[in-house]
Amino acid sequence: MTTLALVMIVKNEERHLSRCLQSVKDIVDEMIIVDTGSTDRTKEIAYSFGAKVFDFVWVNDFSAARNYALEKSSSDWNLVLDADEYIINNCGSIIRNFIEKNDKVIGRIKRIDEFIQDGEKRYAQSYLSRLLPKGVKYVGRIHEQVESKLPRENLDIEVYHDGYVYTDKTDRNLKLLLLELERDPLNDYVLYQVGKQYKLQQQLQQAELYFEKSYHLAPLGSWYRHSLIIDYLYTIIGNKSFEKGLKLIETERDRFADSPDFHFACGLFYMDLIFSNVNKYIHLFPLIEQSFLRCLEIGDTDKYDSVKGTGSFLASYNLGVFHEILGNTDKAISFYQQAANEQYERAIKRLELLR
């Protein structure tokens, strides 16, 4: 029988580790956990699940630690998870069928990230290469990537991740990314990740500089380019770099015509643009409604990394706000109702006030 290992690197994860291991213990044949210097109960918890635990001296390099952990696995396949992630769907048979039938392909899990935006919980989803045949390794000091030319396949493996809510690792990440950038200053992906850390820290001027550098270097086919464009556009909105934003949207509109996140960001961009100078930009006013309607036409998608609701209740809610401001109460109520039907709390509250 084809064998499967859970492979992890951890440090001081007593808060999350049990939840992760509990979610996979009936799926994997062995658990490999590499500890990079825990001072809490992390190792004790790992041992309680029957894991094989190894120590690794931290050298400011995530791929080095991950590759050490992969070397300790004796299985045919490796499932890579972090301690603040856990499987939430019944996918044991899906994983088994996949690894029994394949050996020259990499499986991609769907990770659902919980985060806080505008004072409320939001959920982003992305597909990540985490189910690896033996021999596949990582590169990159941080935000390490699987180094392989093997094809990727999206699988119905849902993994929930709430680490962004409980911990802020931007200072650590930024330090390692800048070290990586010293070694490889024109690495478009590392430039993007540096921009993301500055964006998370609300250092938007710095973020825009790095996103712009990455944007001009990233090949059109880059797997992360969609996320780069979205992050870049939101940063442009925050910095009020409106002329730059107009050029970006014009350049990328056709390429991301089927992305709800792109059109959602465009709708927000046009709102801020027009209110910045009504006389100059009023001719673009219809594009606000058109952008959010296009989101609803597309719907929520698995094609791109995406925030849940940009193709449904978030777009409906923004259309409700748009029409409420214009005095179109009936239309506003209709859109608010669409969002409320998906249990969006803000829409429910607007309906209570309007009725």
Side-chain angles (χ1 to χ4, degrees):
M1 188 181 76
T2 306
T3 52
L4 172 67
L6 170 70
V7 177
M8 304 177 70
I9 59 173
V10 297
K11 181 182 179 182
N12 291 336
E13 293 288 0
E14 65 178 7
R15 178 176 183 173
H16 299 117
L17 187 57
S18 291
R19 183 182 64 180
C20 175
L21 300 184
Q22 187 68 33
S23 76
V24 299
K25 67 181 178 65
D26 296 325
I27 298 173
V28 300
D29 302 298
E30 65 173 340
M31 295 181 179
I32 305 296
I33 297 183
V34 165
D35 190 281
T36 62
S38 293
T39 55
D40 63 3
R41 295 178 54 252
T42 295
K43 286 186 183 181
E44 179 185 333
I45 293 166
Y47 283 126
S48 74
F49 280 85
K52 299 172 184 174
V53 181
F54 302 89
D55 291 314
F56 182 81
V57 176
W58 182 243
V59 291
N60 286 331
D61 189 326
F62 277 88
S63 62
R66 291 226 188 265
N67 290 337
Y68 178 78
L70 289 167
E71 288 169 9
K72 296 300 180 184
S73 167
S74 61
S75 295
D76 303 307
W77 284 81
N78 298 302
L79 173 64
V80 178
L81 292 178
D82 288 332
D84 56 3
E85 301 171 339
Y86 60 102
I87 292 175
I88 58 172
N89 67 331
N90 185 14
C91 59
S93 60
I94 292 169
I95 293 174
R96 281 290 158 191
N97 288 339
F98 176 79
I99 66 175
E100 293 290 346
K101 294 177 181 177
N102 297 286
D103 63 352
K104 300 294 185 185
V105 63
I106 289 169
R108 301 173 84 214
I109 65 168
K110 181 198 282 190
R111 192 176 77 174
I112 300 160
D113 295 321
E114 178 185 332
F115 65 103
I116 305 295
Q117 185 174 315
D118 297 334
E120 63 184 5
K121 283 186 180 180
R122 297 272 176 94
Y123 304 92
Q125 68 175 43
S126 55
Y127 279 94
L128 304 173
S129 298
R130 295 289 194 84
L131 191 53
L132 314 177
K134 191 174 185 67
V136 172
K137 294 190 175 182
Y138 282 89
V139 292
R141 186 187 298 271
I142 186 169
H143 291 294
E144 61 281 7
Q145 298 298 304
V146 169
E147 184 180 39
S148 176
K149 293 182 180 179
L150 291 176
R152 267 71 161 172
E153 183 176 329
N154 292 350
L155 301 174
D156 186 20
I157 304 168
E158 293 188 0
V159 172
Y160 198 84
H161 174 234
D162 56 10
Y164 294 146
V165 176
Y166 299 110
T167 56
D168 180 1
K169 298 177 179 176
T170 53
D171 285 338
R172 179 207 68 184
N173 292 352
L174 197 50
K175 176 185 173 183
L176 295 178
L177 285 163
L178 291 173
L179 281 173
E180 188 78 356
L181 212 52
E182 285 180 16
R183 187 185 65 81
D184 188 3
L186 296 181
N187 186 310
D188 48 284
Y189 180 68
V190 176
L191 286 164
Y192 166 56
Q193 289 294 344
V194 172
K196 274 186 71 172
Q197 302 310 307
Y198 280 126
K199 180 173 179 282
L200 288 167
Q201 293 183 341
Q202 291 301 303
Q203 296 189 52
L204 297 185
Q205 295 293 340
Q206 282 287 86
E208 185 176 325
L209 286 172
Y210 282 94
F211 286 147
E212 186 170 5
K213 289 177 184 176
S214 177
Y215 176 66
H216 290 304
L217 289 169
L220 288 179
S222 297
W223 64 269
Y224 67 91
R225 196 170 182 278
H226 173 264
S227 298
L228 164 62
I229 300 301
I230 304 303
D231 283 329
Y232 188 19
L233 188 49
Y234 276 114
T235 303
I236 282 170
I237 294 169
N239 287 334
K240 303 186 184 305
S241 303
F242 293 125
E243 290 302 318
K244 189 181 292 184
L246 284 169
K247 291 176 183 175
L248 180 66
I249 290 170
E250 181 64 28
T251 302
E252 302 296 336
R253 181 184 287 116
D254 291 343
R255 200 167 285 123
F256 295 114
D258 57 351
S259 163
D261 293 76
F262 177 76
H263 293 285
F264 191 87
C266 288
L268 297 177
F269 172 84
Y270 289 128
M271 280 199 292
D272 282 15
L273 171 72
I274 290 161
F275 286 119
S276 75
N277 190 330
V278 174
N279 290 333
K280 182 176 181 180
Y281 296 115
I282 191 63
H283 65 287
L284 299 175
F285 187 76
L287 295 180
I288 300 173
E289 182 181 26
Q290 288 174 26
S291 295
F292 292 126
L293 286 172
R294 179 61 184 147
C295 293
L296 295 179
E297 287 176 14
I298 300 166
D300 287 325
T301 183
D302 276 345
K303 180 175 180 180
Y304 301 102
D305 292 356
S306 181
V307 173
K308 183 181 179 184
T310 53
S312 55
F313 61 87
L314 292 176
S316 295
Y317 177 79
N318 283 1
L319 284 164
V321 172
F322 176 82
H323 284 290
E324 185 180 354
I325 290 170
L326 291 181
N328 303 330
T329 305
D330 288 344
K331 271 193 170 183
I333 288 173
S334 175
F335 282 115
Y336 284 142
Q337 188 61 59
Q338 287 181 35
N341 289 344
E342 296 186 61
Q343 308 305 311
Y344 187 48
E345 192 64 33
R346 289 186 178 179
I348 293 168
K349 288 179 178 176
R350 293 309 305 163
L351 285 173
E352 290 171 354
L353 290 170
L354 288 175
R355 284 173 170 168

